[in-house]
Amino acid sequence: MLADIEEFYRLDRLPHIWCPGCGNGIVLACLVKAIKELKYDQDKTVVVSGIGCSSRASAYLDFNTLHTTHGRALAFATGIKLAKPELNIFVITGDGDSSAIGGNHLIHAARRNIDLNVVIFNNNIYGMTGGQYSPLTPKVQKATTAPYGTIERPFDLAKLVEAAGATYVARSTAYHTRLTTELIINGAKNKGFSVTEVISQCPVSYGRRNRFNTPAAMLEWQREMAVPVIKARSMAPEELEGKIITGELYRGHAPEYVSEYTKLTQRLKEEAEGV
Amino acid sequence: MSGPTKPRLMQGNEACAEGALAAGVRFFAGYPITPSTEIAEILAERLPLLGGKFIQMEDEIASMAAVIGASLAGVKAITATSGPGFSLKQENIGFAAMAEVPCVVVNVQRTGPSTGVPTAAGQGDVLQARWGTHGDHPVIALCPSCVRETFELTVTAVNLSEKYRVPVILLMDEVIAHMREKVELPSPGEIKVIDRKKPRTPPEKFVPYQPDADGVPPMANFGEGYRYHVTGLIHDKMGFPTNKGPEIAGLVTRLTGKIEQNAADIIRWEGLYLEDAEVVVVAYGCVARSAREAVKKLRREGLNVGLFRPVTLWPFPAAEIAKRASRARGLVVAELNLGQLKLEVERASQGKTGVHFVGRIDGELLTPREIIAQVKGVL
Amino acid sequence: MPKDPANIGKPEVAIKDSWCKGCGICVALCPKKVLVMNAQGKAVVACPEKCVGCKMCAEHCPDYAITVEVE
Ligand SMILES: Cc1ncc(C[n+]2csc(CCOP(=O)(O)OP(=O)(O)O)c2C)c(N)n1
Ligand code: SF4
Ligand code: SF4
Ligand code: SF4
């Protein structure tokens, strides 16, 4: 597998730090395959990540890589993109990183529709800190900080970013590798804020506590729960309860932030020259 | 353009914005907060005209992050805030110190903790400027006391951040920020602009965190062919995380050491009547203005009093203070807080003389008269 | 190693032992039961001849330990 995409990895950094059966390696390979398909110049590609197990991914990749502070990857990425618009930027972030501590940056990046491609590694838990519940932990599931099962309602992240202004919103799972790659490619082609949420597995901090005996069982669960969006449209809400709706969920058209900025500077220049 | 520009009536915040532009800053990210907002407003107008970028972020945390991102992409970047925003920026200031990303943070100080008094001057962030972010880390903080100096020190702040790859804090106060003075700005040709050192090796030989003799590694910008890793984790010379004791200690020591090692180049201070001073007033920022008046008045009365004005609060000109301490009958630290820089002056004077204090924390300015009274008490 | 003539044109699956963390995903997901866990807790190729080259194993190996070559 790696042979096809190894030119994009820092091979001397492997094997990676993730636990046996962790979904991060699988999802990361999908992202790398997407970048390969997109034929982006490695020198002109930046991978920005936050803090968490998933965010460790950036160090393994042979691009300009930036491992930031918890929740802030999108704000760093915004600075890079605005400063140097010709760079292609991918943002890797966990569910806690993107939706809890980084939730404000997520909605504002979406509102600006800035041309960033975000891949959210959603393992439904705070993996790195040992299994505390996140804003995406499904109700009643257990976490170290929810020993009796969480009583909080999770976000629907796709709906959240769509409402906030993202122009490409998709969802896949670690099981559906080819779909994941395809969705990330389509997201990158969208000139605007693109979010692909990938349901992944954390067998160590989430699976064990929630009756998943093996990592494979978690992947099987992803396969069983996934409902392609086309099919989901003809299903009743009760039938969709607990399901993972996959595919391209939303595509919108809106002005992209950096392009708008460029237009503004162009206009000012013309005015100054008296055109 | 050549020759000095025509004298202009200008506010401190305006001088700061002009200084940033003169130093080559082409990126600003910020969040509005009194009494710093004019800096953002001016740059919002000016930057797009110069091909630069301005963005109002969703908060100060994001502003600091965006500034670091822009700098990594090779564009000189600045942000401006006041106390509450300065607190929010701290984690990412630490990131800039750790990853050695040049950037400038302007903090126009207000009075008091928390929301405090937004429209009143204070100097309560002196120690936060040094130790605001966690862990041992390097930082430079500069403190102007007039409008023209605000311009110059903003240029200096940008230059030092580029030269030493550290976050530099421009510690202003509400008085300097909003005061208007007639200033003649130097022409662009007269302004020394320093850019970060670029790698001298080809990408395949590039060791991103290998320092030169000055303790500072050359810096590659994103997108220029040097693909490397930047992290806030303790890292090895290649930029990758490490848990090895010697590498951890080695990095932290180098980061702080590069400022100590180059202190002579960084440290700035100003003295008035120091040669024969029996009492030395130590003051900075807006208080230095009252102190100067006080000292001049006391001299007219025939009293041997001098003024020491640290321009870099961090690194602190400790050796210079030690020199005065061994000669003077006493030092009087005047500041708009409960004695923050006084602690540092005490440390620097090593018990060789008495360190006295006069301060205010009611949002009002220290007057020359208050300083004079304290000095006379010492004499 | 030269290929057994009987295997020419057949997909070839290989596992890099040093990278395998023994998660068992490949074994569980292989539709043809080509792979098994050995006593050391690592995945090994037990029945190479049954491999159909679907790459389910390789694509889901979180540790990039598996290569499947399909001619
Ligand atoms: C400001 C701050 N708060 C808390 C932490 C501790 N912390 C590190 S990772 C993490 C959670 C990560 O969870 P998630 O984003 O879901 O990523 P995962 O580890 O599951 O991939 C937390 C709370 C931190 N590093 N920084
Ligand atoms: S704790 Fe969970 S998310 Fe983190 S590496 Fe282990 S399995 Fe993966
Ligand atoms: S390629 Fe398919 S059939 Fe062959 S070992 Fe892998 S999963 Fe099994
Ligand atoms: S999926 Fe990879 S790591 Fe897991 S058992 Fe198979 S070869 Fe080993």
Side-chain angles (χ1 to χ4, degrees):
Chain A
M1 206 293 308
L2 193 61
D4 310 338
I5 49 173
E6 66 179 19
E7 67 207 273
F8 301 101
Y9 281 82
R10 291 174 174 143
L11 290 176
D12 54 343
R13 306 304 306 165
L14 295 175
H16 53 60
I17 57 161
W18 295 315
C19 310
C22 174
N24 289 339
I26 304 173
V27 182
L28 184 60
C30 296
L31 167 62
V32 172
K33 266 185 257 176
I35 299 178
K36 180 181 168 139
E37 289 279 316
L38 287 158
K39 297 195 167 59
Y40 284 165
D41 180 349
Q42 272 165 281
D43 286 335
K44 298 288 176 201
T45 302
V46 183
V47 177
V48 187
S49 60
I51 293 288
C53 294
S54 41
S55 286
R56 284 297 194 101
S58 54
Y60 301 116
L61 302 181
D62 189 9
F63 301 101
N64 303 279
T65 56
L66 175 61
H67 178 224
T68 66
T69 45
H70 193 24
R72 319 300 175 195
L74 282 167
F76 281 79
T78 297
I80 299 171
K81 186 69 188 176
L82 182 56
K84 250 192 201 165
E86 69 270 25
L87 298 176
N88 309 301
I89 305 187
F90 292 87
V91 176
I92 293 175
T93 171
D95 46 307
D97 196 61
S98 61
S99 74
I101 192 164
N104 199 28
H105 311 309
L106 182 69
I107 58 174
H108 287 279
R111 176 179 60 79
R112 292 186 187 101
N113 192 33
I114 185 166
D115 190 13
L116 301 173
N117 310 301
V118 188
V119 181
I120 298 176
F121 289 44
N122 178 7
N123 58 12
N124 304 113
I125 201 83
Y126 287 175
M128 178 141 271
T129 41
Q132 301 76 24
Y133 68 94
S134 90
L136 298 184
T137 303
K139 204 166 172 180
V140 312
Q141 294 296 82
K142 287 185 179 156
T144 58
T145 46
Y148 311 110
T150 169
I151 55 169
E152 292 195 22
R153 256 182 353 148
F155 272 132
D156 181 331
L157 213 49
K159 282 192 186 145
L160 177 73
V161 293
E162 178 188 331
T167 45
Y168 179 92
V169 184
R171 192 188 286 117
S172 185
T173 79
Y175 178 85
H176 298 87
T177 49
R178 289 169 203 182
L179 176 67
T180 302
T181 301
E182 183 191 316
L183 293 174
I184 296 172
I185 292 171
N186 293 342
K189 286 183 180 161
N190 171 52
K191 195 161 174 56
F193 192 66
S194 306
V195 178
T196 303
E197 177 191 11
V198 187
I199 310 300
S200 181
Q201 76 276 8
C202 167
V204 172
S205 296
Y206 182 79
R208 281 198 308 215
R209 206 162 279 119
N210 289 293
R211 292 185 304 279
F212 288 106
N213 294 328
T214 62
M218 300 182 84
L219 282 167
E220 298 285 5
W221 175 84
Q222 291 165 15
R223 181 172 59 81
E224 280 161 28
M225 289 298 131
V227 179
V229 61
I230 305 182
K231 195 173 163 207
R233 287 198 180 117
S234 61
M235 286 166 71
E238 311 81 68
E239 288 178 283
L240 287 170
E241 192 71 43
K243 294 282 193 293
I244 304 166
I245 304 176
T246 58
E248 192 174 301
L249 305 181
Y250 176 76
R251 198 185 267 272
H253 295 280
E256 190 275 327
Y257 177 76
V258 180
S259 309
E260 290 300 296
Y261 195 98
T262 310
K263 270 192 230 157
L264 167 71
T265 49
Q266 200 56 38
R267 197 187 81 208
L268 294 173
K269 203 169 154 200
E270 284 166 9
E271 281 172 13
E273 287 162 359
V275 181
Chain B
M1 261 202 286
S2 66
T5 55
K6 262 197 274 164
R8 255 167 77 187
L9 198 61
M10 174 180 290
Q11 209 189 39
N13 278 342
E14 196 180 347
C16 175
E18 292 297 338
L21 295 174
V25 166
R26 289 296 178 271
F27 189 98
F28 177 96
Y31 189 83
I33 184 165
T34 305
S36 75
T37 306
E38 293 84 358
I39 300 171
E41 289 170 343
I42 293 163
L43 290 173
E45 195 178 325
R46 302 266 278 131
L47 279 168
L49 296 168
L50 297 167
K53 309 290 165 66
F54 172 93
I55 186 167
Q56 182 172 308
M57 294 298 286
E58 50 274 20
D59 59 31
E60 287 87 349
I61 301 173
S63 308
M64 194 62 225
V67 157
I68 296 170
S71 182
L72 281 166
V75 180
K76 291 184 188 176
I78 191 169
T79 182
T81 188
S82 183
F86 195 49
S87 292
L88 286 178
K89 287 180 194 292
Q90 292 302 333
E91 187 191 11
N92 284 337
I93 291 175
F95 184 94
M98 174 69 107
E100 300 182 75
V101 185
C103 54
V104 172
V105 181
V106 182
N107 174 10
V108 183
Q109 296 166 96
R110 51 169 68 184
T111 285
S114 188
T115 310
V117 187
T119 53
Q123 295 181 319
D125 307 348
V126 169
L127 292 177
Q128 189 188 21
R130 179 63 194 91
W131 293 117
T133 197
H134 56 281
D136 290 300
H137 61 273
V139 80
I140 295 174
L142 302 164
C143 185
S145 70
C146 69
V147 173
R148 187 190 156 100
E149 195 188 26
T150 302
F151 176 89
E152 290 165 354
L153 285 187
T154 308
V155 175
T156 306
V158 177
N159 283 346
L160 290 175
S161 80
E162 291 282 318
K163 190 168 180 184
Y164 295 110
R165 295 184 61 180
V166 276
V168 177
I169 291 151
L170 188 74
L171 212 49
M172 293 174 62
D173 56 60
E174 190 276 337
V175 174
I176 304 299
H178 286 154
M179 179 173 66
R180 284 176 196 278
E181 286 181 320
K182 224 180 194 159
V183 284
E184 211 172 89
L185 299 183
S187 68
E190 290 173 279
I191 298 166
K192 188 173 161 226
V193 171
I194 299 177
D195 296 324
R196 61 193 67 171
K197 291 185 284 189
K198 294 249 171 154
R200 297 175 299 272
T201 46
E204 61 282 5
K205 294 222 174 96
F206 183 52
V207 180
Y209 288 98
Q210 176 68 54
D212 289 337
D214 63 357
V216 185
M219 179 169 173
N221 299 325
F222 279 3
E224 293 179 0
Y226 292 81
R227 300 192 299 269
Y228 69 108
H229 188 58
V230 178
T231 177
L233 286 167
I234 292 271
H235 43 272
D236 58 20
K237 286 187 175 155
M238 291 309 291
F240 294 112
T242 176
N243 284 328
K244 294 193 187 110
E247 284 179 343
I248 300 170
L251 178 62
V252 177
T253 311
R254 177 176 69 74
L255 292 180
T256 52
K258 73 183 174 186
I259 300 303
E260 286 156 24
Q261 181 186 343
N262 296 293
D265 179 52
I266 299 168
I267 286 178
R268 285 157 172 76
W269 58 276
E270 189 193 62
L272 182 67
Y273 307 129
L274 286 177
E275 304 73 35
D276 58 348
E278 287 171 57
V279 174
V280 175
V281 179
V282 181
Y284 53 94
C286 67
V287 178
R289 303 171 71 92
S290 300
R292 185 185 311 270
E293 286 311 305
V295 166
K296 282 186 179 163
K297 217 166 182 177
L298 289 162
R299 280 277 163 178
R300 282 199 295 272
E301 291 179 25
L303 298 168
N304 288 345
V305 179
L307 170 68
F308 185 92
R309 181 171 74 89
V311 174
T312 42
L313 297 191
W314 310 110
F316 186 68
E320 294 296 332
I321 288 289
K323 247 192 260 173
R324 319 300 155 193
S326 54
R327 275 188 245 140
R329 242 200 279 169
L331 305 180
V332 174
V333 184
E335 50 187 339
L336 296 182
N337 57 47
L338 289 175
Q340 295 197 9
L341 202 68
K342 177 181 171 252
L343 293 171
E344 192 63 15
V345 173
E346 277 172 344
R347 192 183 67 78
S349 47
Q350 299 161 353
K352 286 180 193 144
T353 188
V355 177
H356 308 268
F357 175 72
V358 53
R360 271 191 100 137
I361 47 155
D362 59 355
E364 297 297 326
L365 297 184
L366 270 172
T367 59
R369 189 189 303 206
E370 287 165 293
I371 296 169
I372 288 169
Q374 183 68 14
V375 172
K376 284 191 169 162
V378 176
L379 282 165
Chain C
M1 210 168 57
K3 250 185 168 180
D4 182 338
N7 286 338
I8 286 176
K10 278 248 173 199
E12 212 168 288
V13 53
I15 300 176
K16 188 169 174 175
D17 185 75
S18 61
W19 282 20
C20 170
K21 289 184 188 157
C23 69
I25 286 176
C26 56
V27 174
L29 260 50
C30 172
K32 299 292 169 190
K33 305 279 167 254
V34 175
L35 312 169
V36 294
M37 300 306 287
N38 69 11
Q40 285 74 48
K42 302 250 185 178
V44 288
V45 186
C47 317
E49 69 287 353
K50 290 197 209 151
C51 175
V52 292
C54 68
K55 297 194 176 175
M56 277 299 277
C57 54
E59 286 190 16
H60 293 93
C61 171
D63 286 275
Y64 314 131
I66 309 178
T67 43
V68 180
E69 268 180 55
V70 188
E71 279 163 48

